[in-house]
């Protein structure tokens, strides 16, 4: 059931409709947070979009502690992300060749980029979280710098074969503008991999869904709407961990995509949100299977995380001065060592 109108933003950030309806007034920690759904396109979003300054402060130091419970990644988290990074590499292997340039926006620990570097790609990225960025460089030897997407506003080199946007788009204040900016980094025949939590699939109890850091909550319809408006055609990509409630698409630049009419995903979003009560959510057989799977993963992490991460650190490539750069060229500027998830 929809709660009613909101006194927040005047229009949807994607379709510009003024038809925003309030569906929640609390976040997952029962703190005040108004969330609305657009009645014209179905995009679920904060009623009040944080400013760039507020987001910069939040992501530089607070987000990882608030969301992950740690400012620097534990061995278990690194081990988990390394395996997920391998799944993403396997799924994206048809889109790259050794020597291709791969860039990641919001590179987190750096496990995704390290997988592609091991394959022979030239990798670089940005990460706003200082602790995770430093870990990426110092412990995994990944070529990243601490920065925000806005810091790349003047970069239009168009030389990236593949850009990764893994659990990042939902954090950005304007998803269409973000994708358009990323498009300027890509080769005309390049690809953009986008992975976000799937609001169309149950991934948390109804009273635990919303978070300050997740400005947007995408269904497949609303994510495709955003991609088309930004000038990308879309295709689904399957990950081995398909049991996880995530949505993954590969985007390819195509100016004709902007002509694709928006699809109204309002009913899909509202039905997905109200599909279960908190009790019904926890009593689902799928919830039990997920809990068992997580328990097995936790045992695996307990037994093997420390040794596997130690091996990753020992095998890390050096982040040399040549790789980190001195801002003398677009390539070295992107790899600068100046110190910035889903």
């Amino acid at each position: 059931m929809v709660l009613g109108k909101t006194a927040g933003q005047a229009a949807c950030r994607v379709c510009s409709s003024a038809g925003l309806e309030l569906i929640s007034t609390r976040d997952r920690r029962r703190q005040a947070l108004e969330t609305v759904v657009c009645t014209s396109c179905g995009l679920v979003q904060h009623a009040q979009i944080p400013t760039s300054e507020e987001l910069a402060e939040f992501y530089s130091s607070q987000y990882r502690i608030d969301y992950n419970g740690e400012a620097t990644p534990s061995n278990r988290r690194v081990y988990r992300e390394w395996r997920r990074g391998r799944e993403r590499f396997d799924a994206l292997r048809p889109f790259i060749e050794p020597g291709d340039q791969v860039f990641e926006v919001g590179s987190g620990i750096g496990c995704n980029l390290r997988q592609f570097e091991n394959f022979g790609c030239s990798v670089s990225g940005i990460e706003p979280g200082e602790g995770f960025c430093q870990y990426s460089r110092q412990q995994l030897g990944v070529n990243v710098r601490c920065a925000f997407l806005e810091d790349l506003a003047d970069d239009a080199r168009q030389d990236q074969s593949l850009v990764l946007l893994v659990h990042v788009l939902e954090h950005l204040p304007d998803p269409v503008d973000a994708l358009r900016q990323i498009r300027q980094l890509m080769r005309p025949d390049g690809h953009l991999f986008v992975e976000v939590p799937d609001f169309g699939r149950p991934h948390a109890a109804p009273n635990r869904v919303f978070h300050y850091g997740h400005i947007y909550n995408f269904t497949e319809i609303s994510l495709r709407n955003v991609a088309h408006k930004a000038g990308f055609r879309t295709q689904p990509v399957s990950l081995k961990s398909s049991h996880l409630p995530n949505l993954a698409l590969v985007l390819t630049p195509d100016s004709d995509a902007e002509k694709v009419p928006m699809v109204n995903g309002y009913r899909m979003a509202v039905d997905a949100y109200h599909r279960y009560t908190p009790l019904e959510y926890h009593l689902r057989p799928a919830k039990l299977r997920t809990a068992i799977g997580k328990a097995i993963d936790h045992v695996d992490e307990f037994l093997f995380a420390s040794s596997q991460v130690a091996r990753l650190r020992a095998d890390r490539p050096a982040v040399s001065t040549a790789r980190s750069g001195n801002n003398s060229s677009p390539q070295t500027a992107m790899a600068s060592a100046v110190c910035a998830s889903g």
Side-chain angles (χ1 to χ4, degrees):
M1 158 178 150
V2 172
L3 297 178
K5 295 291 183 181
T6 175
Q9 60 175 318
C12 173
R13 281 294 180 97
V14 172
C15 73
S16 301
S17 169
L20 301 178
E21 291 184 344
L22 191 66
I23 58 173
S24 176
T25 59
R26 298 287 171 181
D27 70 3
R28 63 183 61 178
R29 295 181 177 176
R30 309 309 299 159
Q31 300 298 309
L33 179 69
E34 289 192 339
T35 301
V36 299
V37 59
C38 176
T39 59
S40 295
C41 72
L43 181 62
V44 177
Q45 55 205 289
H46 284 359
Q48 296 280 2
I49 305 299
T51 65
S52 297
E53 293 75 18
E54 290 170 337
L55 291 174
E57 180 180 359
F58 179 66
Y59 286 113
S60 293
S61 57
Q62 183 181 346
Y63 168 69
R64 293 296 181 185
I65 296 175
D66 188 39
Y67 192 70
N68 299 131
E70 53 193 18
T72 302
S74 64
N75 284 344
R76 291 177 61 178
R77 185 175 301 280
V78 175
Y79 180 53
R80 186 184 313 139
E81 289 305 314
W82 178 255
R83 291 184 297 174
R84 290 178 180 172
R86 181 67 196 191
E87 292 178 2
R88 294 178 184 116
F89 170 79
D90 288 342
L92 296 171
R93 173 62 188 86
F95 300 98
I96 55 154
E97 296 294 339
D100 283 349
Q101 295 195 50
V102 178
F103 186 78
E104 183 164 17
V105 176
S107 54
I109 298 168
C111 291
N112 293 324
L113 288 177
R114 184 69 186 273
Q115 293 282 0
F116 286 92
E117 186 168 33
N118 288 350
F119 178 67
C121 294
S122 175
V123 306
S124 56
I126 56 173
E127 162 57 36
E130 294 178 359
F132 276 49
C133 180
Q134 290 177 356
Y135 185 95
S136 300
R137 295 183 56 80
Q138 297 172 6
Q139 301 300 323
L140 297 186
V142 181
N143 187 23
V144 300
R145 68 179 176 118
C146 290
F148 293 85
L149 182 60
E150 292 87 346
D151 297 327
L152 308 181
D154 296 328
D155 196 322
R157 66 181 115 139
Q158 296 185 317
D159 60 358
Q160 299 298 315
S161 300
L162 177 66
V163 177
L164 307 175
L165 198 64
V166 179
H167 292 268
V168 170
L169 189 63
E170 65 270 22
H171 298 269
L172 303 178
D174 192 319
V176 174
D177 280 354
L179 293 186
R180 285 172 174 163
Q181 183 175 345
I182 291 171
R183 184 177 173 181
Q184 299 305 307
L185 305 176
M186 300 167 58
R187 288 169 33 177
D189 61 346
H191 301 282
L192 168 60
F193 173 74
V194 178
E195 182 180 328
V196 296
D198 188 353
F199 192 74
R201 298 168 61 189
H203 59 278
N207 60 344
R208 300 276 299 171
V209 170
F210 302 114
H211 181 269
Y212 174 79
H214 289 189
I215 300 173
Y216 299 95
N217 294 268
F218 296 100
T219 63
E220 184 170 358
I221 289 177
S222 58
L223 182 56
R224 288 183 185 275
N225 282 340
V226 168
H228 291 155
K229 186 170 182 179
F232 289 92
R233 65 178 183 272
T234 67
Q235 64 183 96
V237 61
S238 178
L239 301 174
K240 291 180 181 178
S241 57
S242 57
H243 63 284
L244 295 177
N246 294 322
L247 176 61
L249 296 177
V250 170
L251 313 186
T252 306
D254 184 351
S255 57
D256 288 339
E258 298 181 45
K259 304 173 185 177
V260 176
M262 281 205 177
V263 177
N264 190 339
Y266 168 78
R267 182 48 54 193
M268 172 185 280
V270 171
D271 288 349
Y273 181 56
H274 296 292
R275 185 175 298 142
Y276 302 107
T277 66
L279 180 61
E280 290 170 340
Y281 172 83
H282 289 290
L283 292 178
R284 294 175 303 125
K287 177 65 175 177
L288 177 60
R289 292 193 297 271
T290 300
I292 294 172
K294 285 184 176 180
I296 294 173
D297 287 343
H298 287 168
V299 172
D300 180 61
E301 291 165 6
F302 177 79
L303 293 174
F304 301 111
S306 294
S307 60
Q308 293 297 320
V309 172
R311 183 187 301 176
L312 278 176
R313 291 171 179 164
D315 294 340
R316 70 183 182 272
V319 182
S320 65
T321 302
R323 291 176 69 210
S324 61
N326 58 8
N327 294 333
S328 61
S329 70
Q331 180 63 28
T332 56
M334 194 65 91
S336 168
V338 180
C339 274
S341 79

